[in-house]
Amino acid sequence: MKKFSFLFLALSFLFASCSSTKLINSWSDKENTPQEYNNIGVTALFPQSSSRYITEHNVVDYLNEKGIKAMPTTDVFPMAGQLKGAAKELKDSEAIKKSVVAKVTENNIDALMIITMFDKTKEQRWVNDRGFSMGGTGYYGTPYALGGSYYDYYYYSMGTIMDHGYYTDDVTYFIECNLYDVATEKLIWRAQTKTSNPESIEEESKALAYIVVKQLLGKKVISK
C-alpha cells in the first residue's frame, strides 16, 4: 500500500511538472485556525460534464491519498452534469441555494471546494515552416542571437509574404479554486491557476490536484 502511495505521488508530481497548469495567485484567511475536516466536497463547475467528472475525481483522489477526506459532487448538487441546460433554473437563485445547502447537510460536507473557470483568452500567432513565430505585437524565437536581429526578422518576414507557414491559436484557461468552511460559511482559501493550450483534461486536472493539495497543506489551511 505504501509502495502504491509513493508511486501515486511520484506520478502526480511528474504530471504537475510536465503539464502547462501553473499557480498564478493564492490567498488564505490568516485568522483561520487549521482544522481536520471530515468530508470536503469538491465541485467543478465546467460546461462539459466529462471535464467536471474528471477534475472532481482527480482532486478527490489526491486529497484522499494525502489522508484528507473528500468526495466528488458530480451526482449530488443541482444540475450536476447538466450545466449547459441550466439557464431556466438559474433564474430561481434562491431555490438553487437552498438545494445546495440541503445537499451539503445531507452528505455531511463540512468544507466545500468550488472549482470554476473565471477567464479564457485566445491569441492568434503566425508560425512559419522554419521555426520562427510571431504573436501579437512581439517577436518570438531566438534563431541566431538572443531576441533575433534585423536579418532574422527579414528572413521571417519573407516567409509570411510567401505563405510558408500557418496561423495557430494559443488558448489560455484561468481556473479559480475557492474553499469554504461550511459551519462559518466563510471563504478560507483561494487559488488561481492558468493552463495554456491543454492537450489532456486528465493530465491538467492531476496537475491542478497537486497544486491544490500542496497549497492546502503548505499554507496550513487545513490539518489532517
Side-chain angles (χ1 to χ4, degrees):
M1 183 67 182
K2 288 184 178 180
K3 185 177 181 180
F4 174 78
S5 298
F6 175 78
L7 179 61
F8 184 90
L9 293 175
L11 288 174
S12 297
F13 178 77
L14 179 62
F15 276 122
S17 301
C18 297
S19 79
S20 68
T21 298
K22 307 298 179 186
L23 179 71
I24 57 175
N25 189 30
S26 69
W27 168 90
S28 60
D29 184 357
K30 302 303 180 184
E31 297 181 358
N32 175 61
T33 301
Q35 63 174 296
E36 181 178 356
Y37 289 102
N38 294 314
N39 191 19
I40 299 177
V42 177
T43 299
L45 297 178
F46 299 143
Q48 296 81 18
S49 58
S50 59
S51 296
R52 175 176 183 175
Y53 180 90
I54 292 171
T55 300
E56 287 186 8
H57 280 77
N58 278 333
V59 171
V60 167
D61 286 348
Y62 198 44
L63 285 168
N64 289 338
E65 191 64 32
K66 295 294 288 184
I68 303 168
K69 299 173 183 176
M71 65 170 282
T73 62
T74 309
D75 301 319
V76 173
F77 285 168
M79 301 306 297
Q82 308 174 50
L83 295 181
K84 284 188 175 180
K88 292 183 179 179
E89 286 73 10
L90 284 175
K91 294 180 180 179
D92 193 351
S93 60
E94 289 305 314
I96 289 183
K97 293 175 185 177
K98 289 180 180 179
S99 180
V100 170
V101 171
K103 293 296 183 180
V104 164
T105 303
E106 179 183 323
N107 289 274
N108 298 311
I109 295 173
D110 50 3
L112 182 63
M113 181 184 298
I114 301 176
I115 304 171
T116 186
M117 181 176 69
F118 71 91
D119 196 11
K120 174 184 175 182
T121 63
K122 179 185 288 188
E123 181 183 52
Q124 191 176 72
R125 62 185 171 90
W126 172 266
V127 179
N128 68 31
D129 56 10
R130 286 173 298 281
F132 288 38
S133 65
M134 172 71 74
T137 59
Y139 173 56
Y140 298 88
T142 55
Y144 299 109
L146 184 62
S149 187
Y150 60 87
Y151 40 81
D152 300 318
Y153 189 77
Y154 184 91
Y155 179 63
Y156 160 81
S157 298
M158 285 181 64
T160 64
I161 62 174
M162 295 174 67
D163 198 29
H164 289 168
Y166 57 92
Y167 282 102
T168 185
D169 289 326
D170 287 330
V171 182
T172 302
Y173 298 90
F174 295 87
I175 304 299
E176 184 168 272
C177 305
N178 288 335
L179 182 66
Y180 293 86
D181 177 86
V182 170
T184 63
E185 300 184 357
K186 288 179 59 179
L187 175 67
I188 59 175
W189 171 79
R190 168 177 289 165
Q192 295 176 335
T193 66
K194 76 172 183 178
T195 303
S196 301
N197 299 324
E199 296 183 1
S200 166
I201 181 65
E202 181 75 34
E203 179 180 325
E204 300 303 340
S205 62
K206 286 181 179 179
L208 178 67
Y210 174 81
I211 291 172
V212 165
V213 175
K214 184 178 180 180
Q215 279 281 304
L216 292 178
L217 296 178
K219 283 181 168 288
K220 297 182 178 180
V221 178
I222 62 176
S223 61
K224 61 172 186 174

